[in-house]
Amino acid sequence: MSPRIGLDVQTILQAAVKIADQDGAEAVTLAALAKKLTIRPPSLYNHIEGLTGLREKLAIYGMEELYSRLAQAANGRTKGESVHAIADAYVEFVRSHPGLYEFTLSNLEKEDKEIQLASKKIVDLVIRVLNGYGLKGEAALHAVRGLRSILHGFSSLEQKGGFGLPLDLDVSLHLLIDSFLAGIDEMKKDS
């Protein structure tokens, strides 16, 4: 069977992202995707390796999109400005693509080189930003983990409606990042 004209991996991924963002990552099935694209499910196999292959491509696509937004946000900024910009970009990515974000967190094959490279690019970017604080080696990696935990936790709570008080969420995020940065400064004094 030859591939349908006009159907390519990019078109498939964009349709899958729309499903995921609207209905959640679990709603992305080959049947749902085929229906959205008005094709028969077997036609997808000309472009992807089944549901597992699609999920892997969505994870990579999501990480590359997240990296692009983080890099653009950090570009031309220094120290605290960069960290705040990355935090804002991360949270905005989750707000605009909640389903795609789920794929970036999936427990996919860690041995997949493309997934590893996409993930490493994000970590390396945050390490470069944190180098402005003199963090290197393990200290930098611990700080990356800390920042990721803050941003994921904040985003997850927001997505689940966990912030019930009528306070500006962006102000809360900025105060949280200020506290993180103050903690880095204290850590540096102690080392």
Side-chain angles (χ1 to χ4, degrees):
M1 179 183 290
S2 62
R4 186 183 109 185
I5 295 174
L7 185 65
D8 57 19
V9 173
Q10 193 65 24
T11 302
I12 291 169
L13 289 176
Q14 289 171 354
V17 168
K18 286 180 183 173
I19 293 169
D21 288 343
Q22 181 177 335
D23 301 320
E26 293 304 314
V28 178
T29 64
L30 296 182
L33 187 54
K35 182 177 180 183
K36 183 156 191 70
L37 293 167
T38 62
I39 61 172
R40 294 180 327 122
S43 299
L44 293 168
Y45 286 93
N46 291 317
H47 305 281
I48 57 169
E49 295 180 23
L51 188 56
T52 300
L54 175 63
R55 290 178 181 273
E56 289 173 357
K57 287 192 180 304
L58 284 166
I60 294 163
Y61 180 80
M63 285 187 255
E64 288 174 348
E65 180 67 22
L66 178 58
Y67 169 80
S68 175
R69 290 183 185 203
L70 298 179
Q72 185 176 15
N75 189 30
R77 294 191 160 95
T78 59
K79 289 180 71 171
E81 288 178 346
S82 290
V83 178
H84 275 284
I86 282 175
D88 290 341
Y90 188 105
V91 170
E92 182 52 39
F93 175 77
V94 179
R95 288 173 180 164
S96 62
H97 290 294
L100 181 58
Y101 177 68
E102 286 182 59
F103 284 108
T104 69
L105 303 171
S106 300
N107 287 328
L108 299 167
E109 288 294 314
K110 299 298 181 197
E111 289 148 21
D112 183 292
K113 294 217 184 295
E114 282 185 274
I115 290 173
Q116 287 178 350
L117 286 173
S119 178
K120 185 177 180 335
K121 278 176 61 176
I122 294 171
V123 171
D124 289 347
L125 171 66
V126 178
I127 286 173
R128 284 193 307 275
V129 167
L130 293 174
N131 279 343
Y133 288 89
L135 297 177
K136 305 255 189 261
E138 284 187 13
L141 291 174
H142 289 303
V144 169
R145 283 182 177 172
L147 183 59
R148 181 181 183 210
S149 297
I150 290 167
L151 297 176
H152 172 70
F154 186 92
S155 297
S156 295
L157 285 167
E158 182 180 17
Q159 291 298 310
K160 302 292 183 197
F163 296 123
L165 298 175
L167 295 170
D168 186 320
L169 291 174
D170 292 332
V171 171
S172 295
L173 176 63
H174 287 215
L175 290 171
L176 185 57
I177 297 304
D178 285 342
S179 297
F180 171 77
L181 295 174
I184 288 178
D185 286 336
E186 278 303 309
M187 184 175 76
K188 294 264 314 148
K189 288 178 191 176
D190 294 338
S191 43

